[in-house]
Amino acid sequence: MDYKEALAYMAEVASLGSKPGLERITELLEKLGDPQDRLKYVHIAGTNGKGSCAAMMASVLKAAGYRTGLYTSPYLFRFNERMQINGEQIEDEEVAALVERLKPLADAMENKPTEFEMMTAAAFLWFAEKDCDIVVLEVGLGGRFDATNVIKAPEVAVIMNIGLDHTAILGDTVEQIAWEKAGILKPGCSCVLYQQQESVQAVIAAECEKLGAALHVADFGAIQCEFNVLEGQVFTYKQDPYAIALLGEHQQKNAAVVIEAAQVLRSRGWQIEQDQLEHGLYATAWPARFEVLSDDPYFVVDGGHNPQCAETVVANLKTYFPDQHRVILIGVLADKDYPELTKILNEAADEYICVTPDSPRALSAEALAEHLKAYGKPVLACADVPEAVHAAALAAGETGMVCAVGSLYMAGAIRACFNLYR
């Protein structure tokens, strides 16, 4: 089996959809000899910020000298982005070899595993056979019944910002969703929590108490911003100085969570010096998170796709581009709360360019444009991403800027227009 055949097989499996539960991946991993039990983990759940947190955490552990696996989803441009060791993506040949090993095992199962379960099993196998010291493991959806939750107690479980997303599966209140995310907690681990509303924190605290898991809440009141410009940010957390290249006040908060998690790891015997922590945070790159692709005109891409993300994007636009004509290039999935997302984005929008993301769940550019016309601002629907990028840049002109937002499914295609493939 070659790489293309492996991807074709995974696409075929993906067409079967997703199903909650751990019984399928448990059976598949047993057939592989339970490679997940040979690894140590930082397990990260949350509605928003878990990808950025995972990238920062992996960068810190790499800077500390550990052979560090990173498992994330979805990918922006290439399937291989989902599995990395010390910042290097899995090779095409390795993907093919893993899928070739998994296929007969999966095909023989009466209850067939999903695409995400297959890839999670492949990642565990790859990380174990590559002798990773530790793996930063991002939850795919929810937590309690996510395929990644087949692991035993992690070194530290991290729960990031929680909001209303995937409500049909996880529940329609933030408290219900918090309970699902708290499913990654296990006896013997510590929990680091992104500071958030009291009702959410109460749910997490109750689960920690029940399991005997120590709870550490990041203290955002201990963040002091020194400066925040398009070239990066400098801030102190609990009086220690840090610099990050990632943009937005929310990334200072994400970094504070990582700092707390690093402290928990230190208490468990992991050697992370302060200069390694600082270097790891500064060296973190995480594409499509308010990422500046061009400065002529300024062109930003953000994978935000829910109302909480939209609030962050609006705050960033007002901080970094307070006076520019702001063109919003937008594409959304029909099953997301796009009416609320666009209502929030409209606070910072002067003009809209619409496009259809590459997903069977996408809302058409024409339908989105019709929805946006109610705001009384210029709206244009485009046939594809390259046309939309060109139209948005023309609309921005020399003094305006473009922000592409609404779906990670189009972020990779937008970056490709700027010859950025990762």
Side-chain angles (χ1 to χ4, degrees), residues 256-276:
V257 173
V258 172
I259 294 164
E260 293 288 347
Q263 185 58 41
V264 169
L265 289 174
R266 285 169 174 159
S267 73
R268 296 179 68 98
W270 296 86
Q271 300 298 311
I272 304 173
E273 301 299 331
Q274 184 62 22
D275 63 333
Q276 295 168 336

